[in-house]
């Protein structure tokens, strides 16, 4: 997808997190270990919620969402998920490593556009979006660490 507006970026994030939920469901269906399956099911729910949160952002009024970028980026994140797989005997640590790697790719999509923002309003909006996404990732890591301690 080629980003043209901030709205396009947010829509890309919404679709990407939904695609991640489908990926984690596919991986859960093939996982051998019960604890790994539980973590993957948690990720399915987590990614659906994040996707819904981005869908809500799309409904908020404001000029920042309609800001156009001069030099947008290309992202083929959804297509790259087709080739993602883990071993059937993957551990919770393997799943966490994969999830963080994929999530960091989406964070990089946001980070790459912040310096390209043509207005202060759009820059502030994207910085807030990035900060929120980083907070969500931080909470996710803590939740999964708790799951590992059980």
């Amino acid at each position: 997808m080629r980003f043209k507006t901030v709205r396009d970026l947010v829509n890309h994030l919404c679709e990407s997190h939904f695609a991640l939920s489908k990926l984690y469901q596919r991986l859960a269906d093939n996982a051998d270990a019960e604890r790994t399956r539980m973590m993957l099911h948690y990720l399915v729910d987590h990614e659906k919620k994040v996707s819904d949160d981005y869908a809500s952002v799309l409904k908020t009024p404001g000029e920042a969402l309609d800001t156009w970028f001069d030099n947008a980026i290309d992202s083929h994140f959804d297509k790259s998920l087709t080739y993602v797989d883990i071993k059937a005997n993957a551990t919770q640590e393997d799943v966490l490593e994969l999830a963080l790697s994929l999530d960091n790719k989406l964070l990089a999509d946001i980070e790459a556009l912040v310096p390209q923002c043509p207005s202060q309003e759009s820059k502030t909006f994207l910085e807030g979006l990035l900060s929120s996404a980083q907070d969500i990732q931080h909470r996710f890591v803590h939740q999964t660490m708790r799951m590992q301690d059980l």
Side-chain angles (χ1 to χ4, degrees), residues 3-122:
F3 303 138
K4 296 178 182 164
T5 65
V6 173
R7 183 178 307 279
D8 293 331
L9 169 65
V10 175
N11 189 56
H12 164 71
L13 294 169
C14 178
E15 290 173 354
S16 295
H17 282 282
F18 187 75
L20 280 172
S21 74
K22 293 192 308 188
L23 167 70
Y24 295 137
Q25 182 61 57
R26 177 175 58 85
L27 297 177
D29 293 342
N30 296 321
D32 290 340
E34 182 62 31
R35 293 174 68 95
T36 301
R37 269 195 308 276
M38 285 176 27
M39 180 181 250
L40 287 163
H41 286 296
Y42 168 78
L43 282 167
V44 169
D45 294 339
H46 170 78
E47 294 299 338
K48 283 181 183 176
K49 180 176 181 338
V50 173
S51 177
D52 290 345
D53 289 347
Y54 282 120
S56 296
V57 169
L58 288 170
K59 295 176 186 173
T60 59
E63 293 179 22
L65 284 172
D66 296 319
T67 303
W68 286 82
F69 291 102
D70 289 334
N71 295 316
I73 61 172
D74 286 322
S75 177
H76 303 286
F77 182 81
D78 297 358
K79 292 177 184 169
S80 70
L81 297 180
T82 304
Y83 306 104
V84 174
D85 208 356
I86 57 174
K87 301 174 289 198
N89 64 348
T91 65
Q92 289 177 298
E93 292 82 15
D94 295 334
V95 172
L96 179 58
E97 184 179 320
L98 173 65
L100 286 175
S101 170
L102 293 172
D103 199 49
N104 284 335
K105 288 179 183 179
L106 292 175
L107 290 175
D109 285 347
I110 303 170
E111 284 178 317
L113 290 177
V114 170
Q116 296 180 29
C117 288
S119 70
Q120 186 58 43
E121 183 182 10
S122 61

